[in-house]
Amino acid sequence: MAGLSNAVGNKSYLKQKYTANKAQGEKLGGTEFTMSFPGYDNVGVLVRTTQLPMMQREDVEDFGPNGVKFVQSGPITNSGEIQVQCVETITGEIMKMVVDVIANKTMLDIDLSAAAESLAGGSPDALKFTLNDCKISCDQVDMATEDVTALVRPSLRIVYNWVENGLD
């Protein structure tokens, strides 16, 4: 007989997993978010990709007898960086902000939250973040004559010094 000798179908097991997944309700789509930059009201709608900030504590390592390792939680790591990709307009809304914040050493508090259609754009507290004292920089921006359907998409590097979550 061809095939694996221990392969067994189990449709009732799969139905249990399907039912458990369905019971969790609608899943959040990757397109359902909003990001706002205070003082730059036209920028948030031009954000195309972003990231939720990391959440972690530093690892504190101990090595006991015979080199046995034990890791415990240390201080909270409440700063970091995210990458954000935008689409530029012909009036240069993104680059206006970038030039302004870099030239003036402006640090922004940026709000990021889920915006589910089924919640009318609302967000549960667990999916609301404020990134405080953000330093913004912009990578090189690609433009090319041979790609006639591409949009100009500035990529922002946002370094945040503190993050607050809606559950804090």
Side-chain angles (χ1 to χ4, degrees), residues 12-155:
S12 65
Y13 171 76
L14 297 176
K15 177 69 184 254
Q16 290 172 359
K17 295 301 179 183
Y18 164 79
T19 303
N21 185 44
K22 179 181 168 185
Q24 292 300 308
E26 184 178 0
K27 311 309 182 279
L28 180 64
T31 61
E32 297 182 306
F33 69 89
T34 184
M35 194 168 198
S36 63
F37 299 76
Y40 304 94
D41 297 336
N42 296 332
V43 170
V45 73
L46 300 173
V47 172
R48 293 299 177 257
T49 66
T50 189
Q51 298 172 309
L52 296 177
M54 71 173 184
M55 293 171 271
Q56 72 176 25
R57 287 188 171 270
E58 294 293 335
D59 291 339
V60 177
E61 296 179 349
D62 178 40
F63 291 89
N66 299 93
V68 176
K69 181 179 177 181
F70 181 81
V71 179
Q72 66 186 34
S73 292
I76 193 167
T77 304
N78 209 34
S79 61
E81 74 176 61
I82 61 171
Q83 298 294 320
V84 174
Q85 192 173 81
C86 303
V87 64
E88 187 57 281
T89 65
I90 62 172
T91 59
E93 294 300 316
I94 300 299
M95 294 313 287
K96 284 180 197 175
M97 179 193 71
V98 168
V99 169
D100 185 47
V101 299
I102 291 173
N104 295 303
K105 296 184 179 182
T106 304
M107 297 182 93
L108 300 177
D109 292 341
I110 298 171
D111 293 316
L112 170 62
S113 63
E117 177 185 1
S118 292
L119 298 176
S123 178
D125 288 342
L127 295 172
K128 292 180 182 176
F129 299 89
T130 299
L131 309 176
N132 296 117
D133 302 315
C134 296
K135 179 180 175 283
I136 298 176
S137 56
C138 182
D139 294 335
Q140 300 87 344
V141 180
D142 293 332
M143 299 174 82
T145 58
E146 70 273 4
D147 197 351
V148 297
T149 60
L151 296 172
V152 174
R153 296 174 67 106
S155 183

